[in-house]
PDB file of all heavy atoms in Angstrom:
ATOM      1  N   GLY A 761      -6.342   3.840   2.296  1.00  0.00           N
ATOM      2  CA  GLY A 761      -6.421   2.646   3.174  1.00  0.00           C
ATOM      3  C   GLY A 761      -7.125   1.536   2.498  1.00  0.00           C
ATOM      4  O   GLY A 761      -7.655   1.586   1.425  1.00  0.00           O
ATOM      5  N   SER A 827       3.545 -21.379  13.522  1.00  0.00           N
ATOM      6  CA  SER A 827       3.261 -21.175  14.840  1.00  0.00           C
ATOM      7  C   SER A 827       4.410 -21.642  15.771  1.00  0.00           C
ATOM      8  O   SER A 827       4.941 -22.744  15.557  1.00  0.00           O
ATOM      9  CB  SER A 827       1.883 -21.953  15.315  1.00  0.00           C
ATOM     10  OG  SER A 827       1.681 -21.716  16.655  1.00  0.00           O
ATOM     11  N   ASN A 830       5.722 -18.804  22.529  1.00  0.00           N
ATOM     12  CA  ASN A 830       6.453 -17.518  22.759  1.00  0.00           C
ATOM     13  C   ASN A 830       6.496 -17.268  24.248  1.00  0.00           C
ATOM     14  O   ASN A 830       5.555 -17.272  24.961  1.00  0.00           O
ATOM     15  CB  ASN A 830       5.641 -16.418  21.992  1.00  0.00           C
ATOM     16  CG  ASN A 830       6.561 -15.091  21.891  1.00  0.00           C
ATOM     17  OD1 ASN A 830       7.279 -15.003  20.960  1.00  0.00           O
ATOM     18  ND2 ASN A 830       6.437 -14.180  22.812  1.00  0.00           N
ATOM     19  N   VAL A 893     -10.247 -10.684  20.456  1.00  0.00           N
ATOM     20  CA  VAL A 893     -10.096  -9.282  20.450  1.00  0.00           C
ATOM     21  C   VAL A 893      -8.873  -8.861  19.740  1.00  0.00           C
ATOM     22  O   VAL A 893      -7.841  -9.594  19.854  1.00  0.00           O
ATOM     23  CB  VAL A 893     -10.079  -8.723  21.912  1.00  0.00           C
ATOM     24  CG1 VAL A 893      -8.980  -9.312  22.773  1.00  0.00           C
ATOM     25  CG2 VAL A 893     -10.051  -7.264  21.982  1.00  0.00           C
ATOM     26  N   LEU A 920     -12.924   3.642  11.482  1.00  0.00           N
ATOM     27  CA  LEU A 920     -14.105   2.771  11.693  1.00  0.00           C
ATOM     28  C   LEU A 920     -15.467   3.528  11.648  1.00  0.00           C
ATOM     29  O   LEU A 920     -15.464   4.602  12.188  1.00  0.00           O
ATOM     30  CB  LEU A 920     -14.064   2.057  13.053  1.00  0.00           C
ATOM     31  CG  LEU A 920     -15.089   1.059  13.468  1.00  0.00           C
ATOM     32  CD1 LEU A 920     -15.205  -0.127  12.591  1.00  0.00           C
ATOM     33  CD2 LEU A 920     -14.903   0.716  14.983  1.00  0.00           C
ATOM     34  N   LEU A 941     -16.612   7.035   3.201  1.00  0.00           N
ATOM     35  CA  LEU A 941     -17.323   6.576   4.388  1.00  0.00           C
ATOM     36  C   LEU A 941     -17.858   7.782   5.264  1.00  0.00           C
ATOM     37  O   LEU A 941     -18.485   7.505   6.201  1.00  0.00           O
ATOM     38  CB  LEU A 941     -16.442   5.675   5.166  1.00  0.00           C
ATOM     39  CG  LEU A 941     -16.191   4.336   4.408  1.00  0.00           C
ATOM     40  CD1 LEU A 941     -15.205   3.497   5.263  1.00  0.00           C
ATOM     41  CD2 LEU A 941     -17.401   3.554   4.092  1.00  0.00           C
ATOM     42  N   SER A 942     -17.459   9.033   4.908  1.00  0.00           N
ATOM     43  CA  SER A 942     -18.028  10.170   5.613  1.00  0.00           C
ATOM     44  C   SER A 942     -18.727  11.006   4.527  1.00  0.00           C
ATOM     45  O   SER A 942     -18.377  10.976   3.337  1.00  0.00           O
ATOM     46  CB  SER A 942     -16.900  10.987   6.260  1.00  0.00           C
ATOM     47  OG  SER A 942     -15.978  11.448   5.311  1.00  0.00           O
ATOM     48  N   GLY A 983     -14.425  -0.705  22.103  1.00  0.00           N
ATOM     49  CA  GLY A 983     -14.778  -1.880  22.777  1.00  0.00           C
ATOM     50  C   GLY A 983     -15.725  -1.597  23.996  1.00  0.00           C
ATOM     51  O   GLY A 983     -16.025  -2.550  24.766  1.00  0.00           O
ATOM     52  N   VAL A 986     -21.575   1.727  25.394  1.00  0.00           N
ATOM     53  CA  VAL A 986     -22.378   2.853  25.678  1.00  0.00           C
ATOM     54  C   VAL A 986     -21.480   3.943  26.170  1.00  0.00           C
ATOM     55  O   VAL A 986     -20.327   3.997  25.972  1.00  0.00           O
ATOM     56  CB  VAL A 986     -23.383   2.428  26.835  1.00  0.00           C
ATOM     57  CG1 VAL A 986     -24.391   1.371  26.421  1.00  0.00           C
ATOM     58  CG2 VAL A 986     -22.626   1.883  28.070  1.00  0.00           C
ATOM     59  N   SER A1009     -40.800   8.850  32.829  1.00  0.00           N
ATOM     60  CA  SER A1009     -39.990   7.835  33.563  1.00  0.00           C
ATOM     61  C   SER A1009     -38.550   8.288  33.676  1.00  0.00           C
ATOM     62  O   SER A1009     -37.655   7.482  33.753  1.00  0.00           O
ATOM     63  CB  SER A1009     -40.001   6.542  32.881  1.00  0.00           C
ATOM     64  OG  SER A1009     -41.398   6.022  32.761  1.00  0.00           O
ATOM     65  N   LEU A1021     -41.689   2.820  26.704  1.00  0.00           N
ATOM     66  CA  LEU A1021     -41.871   4.190  26.207  1.00  0.00           C
ATOM     67  C   LEU A1021     -42.455   4.179  24.807  1.00  0.00           C
ATOM     68  O   LEU A1021     -42.076   3.345  24.073  1.00  0.00           O
ATOM     69  CB  LEU A1021     -40.552   4.984  26.235  1.00  0.00           C
ATOM     70  CG  LEU A1021     -39.862   5.222  27.516  1.00  0.00           C
ATOM     71  CD1 LEU A1021     -38.463   5.889  27.285  1.00  0.00           C
ATOM     72  CD2 LEU A1021     -40.660   6.148  28.439  1.00  0.00           C
ATOM     73  N   ILE A1079     -16.037   7.375  25.834  1.00  0.00           N
ATOM     74  CA  ILE A1079     -16.924   7.457  24.761  1.00  0.00           C
ATOM     75  C   ILE A1079     -16.999   6.143  23.937  1.00  0.00           C
ATOM     76  O   ILE A1079     -15.932   5.704  23.499  1.00  0.00           O
ATOM     77  CB  ILE A1079     -16.556   8.599  23.811  1.00  0.00           C
ATOM     78  CG1 ILE A1079     -16.594   9.926  24.517  1.00  0.00           C
ATOM     79  CG2 ILE A1079     -17.380   8.621  22.572  1.00  0.00           C
ATOM     80  CD1 ILE A1079     -16.019  11.146  23.736  1.00  0.00           C
ATOM     81  N   LYS A1107     -22.768   4.339   2.362  1.00  0.00           N
ATOM     82  CA  LYS A1107     -21.569   3.629   2.036  1.00  0.00           C
ATOM     83  C   LYS A1107     -21.098   2.670   3.220  1.00  0.00           C
ATOM     84  O   LYS A1107     -20.579   1.598   3.016  1.00  0.00           O
ATOM     85  CB  LYS A1107     -20.525   4.553   1.618  1.00  0.00           C
ATOM     86  CG  LYS A1107     -20.683   5.271   0.267  1.00  0.00           C
ATOM     87  CD  LYS A1107     -20.666   4.179  -0.824  1.00  0.00           C
ATOM     88  CE  LYS A1107     -20.903   4.882  -2.168  1.00  0.00           C
ATOM     89  NZ  LYS A1107     -20.912   3.866  -3.264  1.00  0.00           N
TER      90      LYS A1107
END
Side-chain angles (χ1 to χ4, degrees):
S827 177
N830 197 85
V893 60
L920 177 67
L941 298 176
S942 59
V986 295
S1009 304
L1021 297 172
I1079 296 173
K1107 292 295 183 182

